[in-house]
Amino acid sequence: MADTATSVTRAPEGEQPPPSRTYAALAADESREDYSLRYAPHSFRRWSPGTVAGTALGGIAYLADFAIGASIVFTYGFTSGLASILTAAAIIFLTGIPIARACATYGLDMDLVTRGAGFGYFGSTLTSLIYASFTFIFFALEGSIMAQAMHQAVGLPVEIGYLVTTLIVIPIVFRGMGALARLQAWTQPIWIVGMVLPFLVLAFEAPDAWGAFASFGGTEGAGSGFSWIGFGLGTGVALSLIAQIGEQADYLRFMPAKTERNKRRWNLAVLAAGPGWVVIGAAKQLGGAFLAFVALEAVGTTHALEPIAPQVEALKPWLGSVALPAAAVFVIVSQIKINVTNAYSGSLSWSNFFSRVTHRHPGRVWYIFLNLAIALTLMELNMFAALGKLLGFYSNVGIAWIAAVAADLVINKRLGLSPKHIEFKRAYLYAVNPAGFGAMVIASTVSILAFFGLFGRYAEAFSTFIAAGLALVLCPLIARATKGRYYLARPNTVCSPDAPVAELTATHDCTVCATAYELPDIADCPVHCGPICSLCCSLDAACGDACRKEPALEPVLMPLPTVRAG
């Protein structure tokens, strides 16, 4: 199912080589492929800002927030847990703003933004693995919650439930963004009712519960007072969600171009669907901890950490025997909404990784099965039992990556240490840029050593702060020390990314695959003596990056004349 090999023999002067690459049917079908490895063209961004934002926010219906919030508060007490959740939310929100705007502005996913924001073409392969890990870890976590709900509702063994939760998302994810958008819209009313109802019931039936919750000291003897150690460790667990901005970006890249007419709606949609997800996320963590606290005496600590049991206990006063099936429907709908996003984003990430490593692209949809197979394995190994440690470790790597990208977008670009635009095409990038890649590697290495106790108890508790601080400082320092020379291997003379939309939507036919692509997705290829699309450029295994190594190869693709809109 792979694409054909590409010839890189230089054509005789004055002649164009014939099209030499064709893609398998699934890889060529953009209604399923959704431009998984390339720039999302304006012609494909046919949704309104509100529709894109609604679809992106529909994906954060997950109940892992309930389990994470309950785990933090049960372990470290209410006061330290509250401080941890709010601090993590603030960090995630601030780092997410520049990333969301970059993805929506340039029509790029997280991987492509990472390439041009300080990591280089191959440097971002490591972050593709980090992001893929995020998607299958959280798919497994969400799938475990869904399997628990099915077990309680109909007695289905959880091992079989894991398989069902995995298989059920495949037909939806297979069909791409259009199917995901419809699913999120159709299921949103059910989710909203299911989310609000338990808290409404408790407001009437247990009005004093919030006061008791505020003095809760946890189940492990942490006490109700503030603890710096508990605060640091709890923040680390909550920060494991920082890579969620990547899943938001997978939707934000389909945001239409910002114009004078839609700029207010555009800015609001990007803010809400990008970093804004964490506002809802933090509220869900606190709400989940509250529901677990209320249900603690009735179901015990273990089951209180499983979102289905607290849901049932909260609904019983009003729904009685119907509480269990009603809660189960809510949990299942919630988990399907998020796991289609996890599977979709995972397929994009694995596609990006393997296309650069193997120079082959069978299509995004095939990587769905790889991502789900890993997630299913984690579920069967009962990763839910090791939730806190697993997420605490992961957050050290995730935050080093996101903080380095944010530092480039906010600091380096404003100080002129890096180009103002995001360049993502192989033809113009160095393999590795030490500014972002080096900052991430150093920051994550030091923070992981701290996480395992090498530098003492407080450094262990605040390892994620070490990761964020080092990445934010090192990225501009390395960029300054290298004078920004590793951002662009050669200038892009084809077009300016800041050109008017009318100019950017002009197309060229790729010399290799003979398909028309918008100008930002085209590179000037002297080896093929003409324009080449970003994907064919990525998959070319034999060109030897000649365009960046041989100054004698002159550009052969002239920029189109500027066309002003209106």
Side-chain angles (χ1 to χ4, degrees):
M1 298 302 295
D3 50 275
T4 61
T6 300
S7 168
V8 295
T9 304
R10 184 188 297 278
E13 186 174 354
E15 295 183 20
Q16 290 291 92
S20 52
R21 183 185 295 276
T22 57
Y23 291 97
L26 288 176
D29 182 1
E30 293 300 351
S31 67
R32 300 177 188 271
E33 187 64 14
D34 285 346
Y35 296 89
S36 64
L37 301 180
R38 59 169 84 245
Y39 157 86
H42 288 281
S43 60
F44 192 75
R45 302 186 219 171
R46 58 185 179 271
W47 297 276
S48 69
T51 298
V52 175
T55 303
L57 289 174
I60 64 165
Y62 55 87
L63 298 183
D65 272 336
F66 279 35
I68 290 171
S71 176
I72 292 172
V73 173
F74 276 31
T75 304
Y76 307 113
F78 174 81
T79 304
S80 299
L82 175 64
S84 297
I85 291 169
L86 295 182
T87 300
I91 294 172
I92 292 172
F93 187 88
L94 293 174
T95 56
I97 292 173
I99 293 172
R101 293 186 65 86
C103 293
T105 300
Y106 293 104
L108 305 177
D109 66 16
M110 192 67 205
D111 176 77
L112 301 187
V113 167
T114 299
R115 293 184 195 180
F119 282 71
Y121 181 73
F122 274 106
S124 66
T125 55
L126 178 58
T127 65
S128 290
L129 286 179
I130 295 171
Y131 183 33
S133 300
F134 175 86
T135 64
F136 62 66
I137 286 173
F138 276 88
F139 187 104
L141 176 56
E142 307 295 350
S144 297
I145 293 172
M146 185 172 168
Q148 291 161 3
M150 290 189 292
H151 175 68
Q152 287 202 31
V154 297
L156 186 71
V158 289
E159 293 79 10
I160 299 177
Y162 296 151
L163 181 61
V164 173
T165 63
T166 302
L167 296 178
I168 200 171
V169 305
I170 293 176
I172 303 167
V173 181
F174 204 82
R175 297 181 64 84
M177 173 66 177
L180 268 64
R182 290 190 294 273
L183 172 76
Q184 301 296 1
W186 293 343
T187 55
Q188 201 70 346
I190 299 174
W191 182 80
I192 292 174
V193 171
M195 178 62 67
V196 172
L197 188 58
F199 298 99
L200 184 62
V201 173
L202 291 176
F204 284 94
E205 301 296 331
D208 298 329
W210 276 108
F213 180 52
S215 60
F216 180 51
T219 58
E220 299 182 21
S224 59
F226 180 79
S227 163
W228 282 106
I229 295 294
F231 166 69
L233 292 171
T235 305
V237 175
L239 279 174
S240 64
L241 292 163
I242 196 167
Q244 176 65 31
I245 189 63
E247 295 196 350
Q248 304 307 111
D250 288 338
Y251 294 109
L252 287 171
R253 65 196 175 108
F254 298 124
M255 194 69 71
K258 182 168 69 171
T259 64
E260 283 298 317
R261 185 175 181 179
N262 74 357
K263 66 179 182 181
R264 287 187 179 180
R265 288 182 289 116
W266 192 94
N267 286 329
L268 180 61
V270 171
L271 186 67
W277 77 265
V278 79
V279 177
I280 301 173
K284 286 163 57 188
Q285 288 177 44
L286 291 172
F290 174 63
L291 293 180
F293 165 76
V294 173
L296 180 60
E297 185 176 343
V299 302
T301 302
T302 300
H303 289 301
L305 294 174
E306 301 171 356
I308 179 65
Q311 288 279 328
V312 173
E313 292 301 314
L315 294 175
K316 275 182 178 179
W318 284 11
L319 300 186
S321 61
V322 183
L324 177 55
V329 168
F330 168 67
V331 172
I332 291 171
V333 168
S334 298
Q335 302 316 92
I336 291 176
K337 284 170 71 69
I338 180 55
N339 266 354
V340 294
T341 298
N342 282 327
Y344 178 75
S345 295
S347 69
L348 299 179
S349 186
W350 285 118
S351 293
N352 275 296
F353 175 76
F354 282 109
S355 68
R356 276 169 288 172
V357 173
T358 67
H359 295 284
R360 302 185 74 81
H361 178 51
R364 170 192 69 83
V365 295
W366 296 106
Y367 293 111
I368 296 170
F369 301 102
L370 171 63
N371 209 54
L372 296 186
I374 298 173
L376 179 59
T377 301
L378 290 177
M379 283 189 277
E380 297 292 354
L381 293 175
N382 193 25
M383 64 150 285
F384 194 85
L387 177 64
K389 277 292 182 183
L390 179 64
L391 298 184
F393 171 80
Y394 177 83
S395 63
N396 289 280
V397 182
I399 197 171
W401 163 39
I402 297 298
V405 173
D408 179 81
L409 296 174
V410 175
I411 302 173
N412 294 5
K413 294 194 181 306
R414 293 191 178 185
L415 295 181
L417 299 175
S418 67
K420 295 294 184 184
H421 68 283
I422 306 292
E423 181 56 71
F424 67 94
K425 295 180 286 294
R426 172 191 178 187
Y428 303 109
L429 295 173
Y430 282 99
V432 176
N433 185 343
F437 182 79
M440 184 197 74
V441 170
I442 295 171
S444 59
T445 299
V446 173
S447 66
I448 288 173
L449 292 176
F451 176 77
F452 284 110
L454 187 64
F455 306 127
R457 190 181 179 197
Y458 278 91
E460 177 183 353
F462 286 87
S463 63
T464 50
F465 289 86
I466 294 172
L470 282 177
L472 286 169
V473 171
L474 288 175
C475 184
L477 286 181
I478 296 173
R480 184 176 180 84
T482 58
K483 299 180 179 180
R485 61 173 296 188
Y486 294 103
Y487 280 90
L488 293 177
R490 64 175 176 130
N492 183 348
T493 59
V494 175
C495 76
S496 167
D498 299 319
V501 172
E503 180 177 329
L504 297 178
T505 55
T507 61
H508 273 301
D509 289 343
C510 174
T511 306
V512 177
C513 67
T515 304
Y517 294 101
E518 290 182 7
L519 208 52
D521 207 21
I522 286 290
D524 180 5
C525 182
V527 172
H528 289 285
C529 298
I532 186 172
C533 71
S534 62
L535 183 54
C536 286
C537 181
S538 291
L539 300 178
D540 199 325
C543 70
D545 296 321
C547 63
R548 303 191 314 230
K549 297 178 181 177
E550 300 181 30
L553 295 175
E554 297 296 331
V556 295
L557 172 62
M558 298 303 293
L560 292 181
T562 300
V563 180
R564 298 297 175 187

